Amino acid sequence: MAIAAVRTAAPPDVGEIVRIQADTWEAAYSSLVPAHAVAQLRGADAREAWSAAVEGGPGHVLVATEGEWTVGFCAAAPAVPPSATPEQAWGEIGALLVEPRWGRRGHGGRLLAAAAEALRAAGAIYGLAWVPEPDEASRRFYARAGWEPDGTVRALDTGSGTLREVRLTGSLDLKLQA
């Protein structure tokens, strides 16, 4: 059995991060997001953005590996508090994706736990993530960590419509459940 691990992303990981994001969005969200929007995830702008994030953005980019394979990634950073309580420190999970063929092996939980640890080390107490409203699998994943919808919804312009996302919030002192 291959060893599974999570580590900080390095510049050579950018290509795999771009590929995993585009492939996963294509598989999971093709009915929600137009093909041209997913195609942009494979473009030069996406690669530049991930390179900047990996090489010293304001947060943390982590990759999950199984043996020699990069199977998922997570991007986490400080967040603006979602309510009028600025004394509370928040972190945001900007992206957490595991390639579907590597799913159900604990990679997502390891990525979330490592991101939560990094955000707590930076002083955050609570976390938030935006998830497409119809994405029940991701909502269940965060619910197992104790994160729930807080009633806030945003609409993103996809270029041919809107994608509604719900905000999930919870403690960064995770209680991951099977």
Side-chain angles (χ1 to χ4, degrees):
M1 175 174 245
I3 295 174
V6 171
R7 63 173 171 75
T8 300
D13 295 314
V14 169
E16 281 298 281
I17 291 169
V18 167
R19 183 192 63 75
I20 290 167
Q21 183 178 34
D23 287 356
T24 303
W25 271 67
E26 192 170 60
Y29 303 132
S30 62
S31 65
L32 305 173
V33 179
H36 72 273
V38 173
Q40 289 177 346
L41 296 175
R42 297 184 195 282
D45 289 345
R47 184 173 294 278
E48 287 176 29
W50 281 116
S51 290
V54 166
E55 293 174 7
H60 312 275
V61 181
L62 307 165
V63 292
T65 60
E66 186 168 321
E68 66 187 67
W69 305 98
T70 300
V71 300
F73 72 93
C74 180
V80 174
S83 61
T85 54
E87 70 278 359
Q88 296 175 340
W90 285 78
E92 179 172 357
I93 304 300
L96 193 160
L97 297 171
V98 173
E99 195 173 358
R101 67 186 171 133
W102 296 98
R104 303 267 182 227
R105 295 181 184 197
H107 298 298
R110 283 187 288 278
L111 282 165
L112 184 58
E117 181 180 332
L119 291 169
R120 283 193 319 268
I125 300 169
Y126 302 103
L128 65 89
W130 292 95
V131 174
E133 193 170 43
D135 184 351
E136 290 297 326
S138 292
R139 292 172 72 167
R140 284 190 306 273
F141 168 77
Y142 282 105
R144 286 191 304 272
W147 291 22
E148 296 294 335
D150 69 1
T152 305
V153 177
R154 70 180 180 186
L156 301 177
D157 183 0
T158 66
S160 64
T162 58
L163 173 64
R164 285 175 47 99
E165 291 185 314
V166 296
R167 186 172 64 198
L168 308 174
T169 60
S171 172
L172 288 173
D173 182 18
L174 300 179
K175 310 287 190 257
L176 295 172
Q177 302 168 9

